[in-house]
Amino acid sequence: MKAPSRPKKVSTKGIQLTPLTLNKRASGKNQFITTSKTLKSIVGEIAGKVPTLIKPYLKLTAAKTIVPDKGLIRAINCSHIFPENPNIEFLTGSNGKSGTLQLEMVNLNYGDGFAISFGVSTGFPGQWKISSNEAPNTFINISPINQSVDILIPEIKNKIGTLLINLEPEFTYTASSWSFNEVTVRKLSF
């Protein structure tokens, strides 16, 4: 499968989930997460309006998997969890699946907007499949080795309260592995 060349806005039930294709790997001090400055320009390009404020909302790792009243992560079919490093390792199982990282955000309100960045690592080609309880699947090409998989939710248009987002790879080859390093959620104001 090949990811779409331009991000497609996908929405159902009041959620618009847009993958942000930045065409470069994350780098710098934090090699896994896209900077707020970069997010501001790409969000402005896609949403048609530049955010006036991007502020930290939630950051989760293997060392901190839950923030009460904001959200949590689950590692489904992972092979190792290293809270001291912190990262979560996934290996391809006998069923050909390579595990899923699940982000659950709670206490969401009408009008909230978010930029979500998953910091991941893999040396294998394929695509990241992003799915949600509120929107259809979307895909972003894997960019080895360290990558920030970025998603935009410009505005929540209903009272969902909870949002579940799944990140899982669809590798080109059966024997593959990947690591989750962190997820950073930033709240957007327009």
Side-chain angles (χ1 to χ4, degrees), residues 37-96:
K37 182 179 178 181
T38 302
L39 274 177
K40 190 173 188 176
S41 66
I42 195 78
V43 166
E45 198 175 294
I46 290 174
K49 53 187 174 182
V50 177
T52 55
L53 182 64
I54 297 178
K55 67 179 187 176
Y57 178 76
L58 177 64
K59 181 177 177 179
L60 300 169
T61 67
K64 185 178 183 179
T65 60
I66 187 168
V67 173
D69 299 323
K70 287 192 177 181
L72 60 97
I73 55 170
R74 292 181 195 92
I76 301 165
N77 294 329
C78 68
S79 58
H80 299 93
I81 298 176
F82 300 103
E84 67 283 348
N85 192 10
N87 72 39
I88 300 172
E89 303 274 332
F90 296 86
L91 297 172
T92 304
S94 58
N95 61 357

Side-chain angles (χ1 to χ4, degrees), residues 146-159:
N146 299 328
Q147 182 178 10
S148 183
V149 177
D150 300 296
I151 305 159
L152 169 65
I153 301 170
E155 182 180 17
I156 295 175
K157 297 181 180 179
N158 64 9
K159 297 179 182 179

Side-chain angles (χ1 to χ4, degrees), residues 178-190:
W178 66 287
S179 296
F180 163 76
N181 299 286
E182 68 181 85
V183 61
T184 299
V185 180
R186 287 166 272 199
K187 197 167 189 176
L188 306 176
S189 298
F190 292 95

Side-chain angles (χ1 to χ4, degrees), residues 20-27 34-35 38 143 146-148 150:
L20 302 178
T21 309
L22 302 175
N23 296 323
K24 67 177 190 175
R25 294 182 207 142
S27 62
T34 302
T35 65
T38 302
S143 177
N146 299 328
Q147 182 178 10
S148 183
D150 300 296

Side-chain angles (χ1 to χ4, degrees), residues 106-125:
V106 298
N107 297 324
L108 301 179
N109 298 308
Y110 181 88
D112 287 346
F114 297 97
I116 302 168
S117 299
F118 291 95
V120 293
S121 300
T122 186
F124 299 93

